[in-house]
Amino acid sequence: MMAHSFIEVAGYPPHHCCVLLHSTRGILPDWMRFVKGVVDSEDIPLNLSRELLQQTAIIRKLKMILTSRLLKFLGDEAKKDRKKYEKFFSDCGVYFREGLITAEDDYQKEEIAKLFRFESSFERPGVTTSLSDYLSRMKPNQQNVYFLCATSREMAEMSPYLEPVKAQEMEVLFSFNMYDDSVLGQLQKFGGKTVVSVENYLAKSDDKYTQPDGVNSLPTEQAQSLAKWLEQTLGPGKVKEVKVSGRLTSHPAMLTTPEMSMARTITRSAQPEGLGGYLQATLEINPSHPVIQNLSEAKESNRQLATLVAEQVYDNAMIAAGLLGDPRRMLTRLNDLLVQALKRE
């Protein structure tokens, strides 16, 4: 039962009673449970019950008005004192994420999303920005808002998924919260632009490889032969396809899958062995990287070593994608690779 207290308040007409609700569920969305305050309204009936609180048209309207005003208040506070708001969002961001996921319509989702703060590839470490600020810096033809989830700024900047987008001089928002993959996936649109992770963007964008001029790279035929061998060696339990890519520069390979967020969720709750085919994973190899070039030679001269390296390249790509739950299974292979390397010395 909902607890009520009826009191007479000084300054009000004689015998004018107020109702104090010790539980205010229904007056504000559940995600705003961090808010404490007093609502003064003469329109709220005194004979409230839990059911009436949820169903009364007055309460629904009050909820809409209060939510809107609180969102505006928080937006104003963010403009007044940037540092103070950043600290607040860092402490209370979990509530905003819940709010975005449970928002009743797209308009409310966008209003909540305006309050999010991220680091950016266009800003120095430690400086945060908003989605609205991102839109103001977008290129005229840009249709997507790009984001990348990582455990830290350092890991984000080391990610193979950042390279192709950064090469196009596109800004990427950095989130260091593991749930933002799913949260921002729920947002989908902001300011008329598509909100998309760089991993999903790369998985769905075309990448037709042509051998670059003036770059030390495997000839196209040799690179394609290596890709076919890797596909056979790794097998359908790990990859759907291996293809030659021109999108990477400093990384030998990366793994793409149509829904990276879902893939991470699955691998957190299941063993990653054999999931590659289910996740429709594609391994993209960089024919300009020394590891790939030497692997192409090793598959002809030392098939045992080449197989070990192929499996390690795949696992490295799994780690970079956040899909390898337990890296300890690589230890035996790494020891074998060290033995092979020391034999050459």
Side-chain angles (χ1 to χ4, degrees), residues 33-44:
R33 57 189 175 275
F34 61 91
V35 176
K36 293 183 179 181
V38 176
V39 178
D40 181 9
S41 175
E42 295 184 2
D43 296 323
I44 300 176

Side-chain angles (χ1 to χ4, degrees), residues 148 150 154-164 198-199 251 320:
L148 174 64
E154 182 182 13
M155 295 305 296
E157 292 182 332
M158 290 171 57
S159 171
Y161 302 101
L162 181 63
E163 278 187 8
V198 290
E199 297 103 328
H251 292 81

Side-chain angles (χ1 to χ4, degrees), residues 4-291:
H4 299 70
S5 297
F6 295 91
I7 61 172
E8 291 191 11
V9 180
Y12 276 76
H15 309 297
H16 187 104
C17 290
C18 291
V19 59
L20 300 182
L21 303 177
H22 301 292
S23 174
T24 56
R25 292 188 66 183
I27 290 181
L28 283 175
D30 286 347
W31 71 270
M32 281 189 169
R33 57 189 175 275
F34 61 91
V35 176
K36 293 183 179 181
V38 176
V39 178
D40 181 9
S41 175
E42 295 184 2
D43 296 323
I44 300 176
L46 294 181
N47 60 336
L48 281 174
S49 65
R50 184 184 301 273
E51 291 74 19
L52 282 174
L53 188 59
Q54 293 173 343
Q55 298 170 10
T56 303
I58 295 172
I59 296 299
R60 288 198 296 269
K61 185 176 180 181
L62 186 61
K63 177 181 178 180
M64 182 180 67
I65 293 171
L66 287 174
T67 301
S68 178
R69 287 184 180 179
L70 281 167
L71 290 173
K72 184 180 184 303
F73 167 77
L74 290 170
D76 291 342
E77 289 298 302
K79 294 173 184 175
K80 285 180 187 176
D81 192 329
R82 182 171 179 168
K83 289 293 182 183
K84 184 178 179 181
Y85 180 79
E86 286 176 357
K87 176 66 168 60
F88 167 76
F89 182 77
S90 177
D91 293 339
C92 297
V94 62
Y95 300 111
F96 292 90
R97 292 178 174 92
E98 179 186 338
L100 196 150
I101 290 175
T102 59
E104 296 175 355
D105 54 56
D106 291 340
Y107 173 77
Q108 195 174 93
K109 282 183 181 180
E110 284 210 17
E111 291 301 301
I112 298 170
K114 289 177 183 178
L115 301 172
F116 278 57
R117 293 296 181 267
F118 308 93
E119 289 197 23
S120 164
S121 60
F122 278 17
E123 300 282 2
R124 65 184 185 277
V127 176
T128 65
T129 189
S130 67
L131 285 162
S132 298
D133 290 337
Y134 182 104
L135 291 188
S136 69
R137 296 189 291 261
M138 285 178 66
K139 292 184 174 183
N141 300 330
Q142 187 176 336
Q143 297 301 314
N144 297 328
V145 174
Y146 300 105
F147 71 90
L148 174 64
C149 291
T151 55
S152 67
R153 173 79 182 223
E154 182 182 13
M155 295 305 296
E157 292 182 332
M158 290 171 57
S159 171
Y161 302 101
L162 181 63
E163 278 187 8
V165 182
K166 197 173 180 180
Q168 299 175 50
E169 298 182 340
M170 300 290 191
E171 182 177 7
V172 178
L173 297 174
F174 297 145
S175 171
F176 311 131
N177 185 292
M178 63 183 291
Y179 297 109
D180 276 350
D181 251 349
S182 300
V183 172
L184 294 175
Q186 286 282 328
L187 179 59
Q188 296 184 342
K189 293 278 187 178
F190 185 85
K193 304 295 183 180
T194 302
V195 180
V196 61
S197 71
V198 290
E199 297 103 328
N200 285 355
Y201 165 71
L202 293 173
K204 295 172 183 177
S205 60
D206 293 331
D207 176 38
K208 295 180 180 179
Y209 176 73
T210 54
Q211 187 175 347
D213 296 328
V215 176
N216 182 20
S217 178
L218 287 176
T220 301
E221 186 176 335
Q222 193 174 342
Q224 296 292 356
S225 174
L226 176 61
K228 185 176 180 181
W229 176 80
L230 280 168
E231 196 171 309
Q232 294 170 345
T233 301
L234 295 173
K238 290 185 175 180
V239 293
K240 179 192 75 170
E241 178 187 11
V242 177
K243 68 178 185 179
V244 184
S245 172
R247 301 194 286 198
L248 295 169
T249 54
S250 61
H251 292 81
M254 71 176 177
L255 205 69
T256 58
T257 186
E259 291 296 337
M260 188 64 79
S261 175
M262 184 183 295
R264 290 188 181 119
T265 300
I266 291 172
T267 53
R268 278 197 295 266
S269 58
Q271 293 298 319
E273 289 291 343
L275 283 175
Y278 174 78
L279 298 174
Q280 299 292 293
T282 297
L283 183 68
E284 299 188 17
I285 60 172
N286 174 11
S288 302
H289 197 281
V291 168

